[in-house]
Amino acid sequence: MPERGLARSMVEAFVHFDLVAEGASGDAEVTREQDGWLVSLRGSEVLVPYEAEVAAQEEGVVFGTGLSELIDPGQWVLVASTYANRALEGGLFYAGEQADAERFEGVAADWRFAADAVAEALKFFSPDYAELPPDAFWSEMGRSLRESEPERLTRAKLESDLALYRRGLDDFLRLHGDR
């Protein structure tokens, strides 16, 4: 039986599979178990406890409450960059086309997810630390980012990115929200 990961929300489980299986989360299977949903893909399993999903929804946090055990801070930074790039591109196309409610919601969601992913990376920082220790990065992706671009993983940079992504969302809503 494969080792099970533990996710804090269904969204986190699917993001995890997109990271480890290169965007293949659409092929994942979800089954109900006694204590949660089991998300399976290519021999890997992630359990999303019912209580964790409910807590995430009640708190309004898409990726879940607490600290991730599946996705390290380097991966969260990469996830945030992906969503921010999608939001920028989507916003440009949206501005050049007629208003489309689905595209509007997609761009807004990308900005929110970018900000939320950065917030996830920031959860790994102790209150008085400006940088994360090497053992905070357990994935190959996270370690590689830390080695190649350590400046992207400082508290100051992440706080700046968080403000930028929130401002991007606010600007998009202000410019296009009344169409």
Side-chain angles (χ1 to χ4, degrees):
M1 183 151 142
E3 184 177 327
R4 286 186 180 179
L6 188 63
R8 303 164 299 147
S9 72
M10 291 294 283
V11 175
E12 182 184 41
F14 281 90
V15 168
H16 166 72
F17 280 129
D18 278 338
L19 288 168
V20 299
E22 298 179 8
S25 69
D27 297 332
E29 295 180 18
V30 179
T31 56
R32 290 182 67 98
E33 295 209 339
Q34 181 176 355
D35 50 351
W37 289 280
L38 185 64
V39 185
S40 305
L41 178 68
R42 300 181 185 158
S44 295
E45 296 179 342
V46 172
L47 180 68
V48 182
Y50 297 125
E51 301 84 30
E53 180 68 22
V54 168
Q57 290 179 17
E58 286 176 352
E59 295 285 325
V61 287
V62 70
F63 297 118
T65 61
L67 193 62
S68 180
E69 296 178 20
L70 289 177
I71 302 172
D72 74 22
Q75 290 173 300
W76 281 121
V77 168
L78 294 171
V79 167
S81 296
T82 298
Y83 281 116
N85 287 334
R86 285 175 46 178
L88 285 168
E89 182 179 327
L92 290 173
F93 283 114
Y94 185 85
E97 297 176 358
Q98 282 192 334
D100 175 276
E102 187 174 324
R103 184 177 295 256
F104 176 86
E105 289 302 321
V107 172
D110 285 341
W111 279 122
R112 284 185 196 101
F113 277 30
D116 289 349
V118 170
E120 289 297 324
L122 283 165
K123 287 181 182 180
F124 285 86
F125 283 83
S126 295
D128 52 344
Y129 282 59
E131 296 181 11
L132 292 169
D135 63 350
F137 303 88
W138 60 81
S139 73
E140 182 58 38
M141 283 177 162
R143 286 190 302 268
S144 177
L145 181 64
R146 185 177 185 280
E147 289 173 18
S148 65
E149 300 177 72
E151 67 280 359
R152 289 180 66 188
L153 298 165
T154 65
R155 179 190 300 278
K157 173 65 170 136
L158 294 177
E159 288 174 347
S160 173
D161 287 350
L162 181 59
L164 176 68
Y165 299 159
R166 286 180 175 164
R167 193 170 46 253
L169 172 61
D170 290 345
D171 289 348
F172 179 74
L173 295 176
R174 182 178 43 78
L175 291 170
H176 305 292
D178 60 351
R179 283 191 182 183

